């Protein structure tokens, strides 16, 4: 049984002819293809895209790496979690220090607010008593 269809052979042949003429260009970069092996690989990938009978790419090739890109990124994400646990202990200790300093600062601010509140209340009392005195003088005259 044939591994490749006739049409897939034609597609690879076209890619080789383009490579010989210097008109075959690679996918992303658009650079000119100079290698016969690369021309064959491009022809095979075009045949796969068209749905022609071509065996799947080998496991170590670039086209198979593209399809398994999601799996590789999932593994990469799993690895930093272990180091993140180490970082979290350092973060928690710095958080404890930070919260202690913020508590001190907050308590100092609260004391300041209380004193300013007392001062404000005293000035309000004074001003209200002045207003009452001035209003009672106006009524008397």
């Amino acid at each position: 049984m044939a591994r490749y269809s006739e049409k897939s052979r034609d597609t690879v042949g076209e890619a080789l002819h383009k490579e010989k003429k210097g008109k075959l260009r690679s996918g992303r970069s658009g650079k000119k293809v100079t290698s016969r092996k690369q021309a064959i690989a491009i022809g095979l990938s075009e045949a796969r895209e068209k749905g022609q009978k071509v065996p799947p790419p080998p496991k170590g090739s670039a086209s198979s790496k593209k399809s398994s890109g999601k799996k590789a990124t999932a593994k990469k994400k799993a690895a930093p979690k272990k180091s993140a646990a180490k970082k979290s202990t350092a973060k928690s200790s710095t958080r404890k220090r930070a919260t202690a300093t913020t508590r001190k600062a907050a308590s100092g601010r609260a004391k300041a607010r209380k004193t300013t509140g007392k001062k404000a209340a005293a000035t309000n009392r004074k001003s209200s008593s002045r207003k009452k005195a001035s209003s009672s003088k106006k009524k008397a005259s």
Side-chain angles (χ1 to χ4, degrees):
M1 184 174 226
R3 293 178 68 186
Y4 298 90
S5 66
E6 287 291 324
K7 286 191 177 184
S8 65
R9 290 179 191 166
D10 292 340
T11 309
V12 174
E14 287 173 16
L16 284 168
H17 284 296
K18 283 184 183 178
E19 184 262 328
K20 273 191 177 179
K21 290 179 184 177
K23 294 186 176 182
L24 184 65
R25 299 197 174 268
S26 64
R28 281 191 184 176
S29 62
K31 289 183 179 179
K32 193 187 293 185
V33 175
T34 55
S35 168
R36 277 193 84 210
K37 284 185 177 182
Q38 194 174 0
I40 293 167
I42 290 170
L44 288 171
S45 67
E46 286 175 2
R48 283 187 192 99
E49 286 174 5
K50 291 177 184 176
Q52 298 167 353
K53 186 181 174 188
V54 183
K59 292 183 179 179
S61 70
S63 58
S64 66
K65 287 179 186 176
K66 287 179 188 175
S67 64
S68 65
K70 292 180 183 177
K71 293 176 185 176
T73 54
K75 289 177 185 176
K76 287 178 186 176
K77 287 181 184 176
K81 287 182 183 178
K82 292 176 184 176
S83 60
K86 292 176 187 176
K87 289 179 185 177
S88 65
T89 56
K91 284 181 183 178
S92 62
S93 62
T94 52
R95 277 190 207 133
K96 288 175 186 176
R97 282 187 229 130
T99 52
T101 54
T102 52
R103 284 181 193 150
K104 288 177 186 176
S107 64
R109 281 188 228 124
K111 288 176 186 175
R113 279 191 210 123
K114 287 179 184 176
T115 55
T116 53
K118 289 177 184 176
K119 289 176 187 175
T123 53
N124 285 343
R125 283 188 220 121
K126 288 179 186 175
S127 63
S128 63
S129 62
R130 286 181 197 151
K131 286 178 187 174
K132 286 179 185 176
S134 64
S135 64
S136 61
K137 286 180 185 177
K138 287 179 184 177
K139 286 181 184 177
S141 59

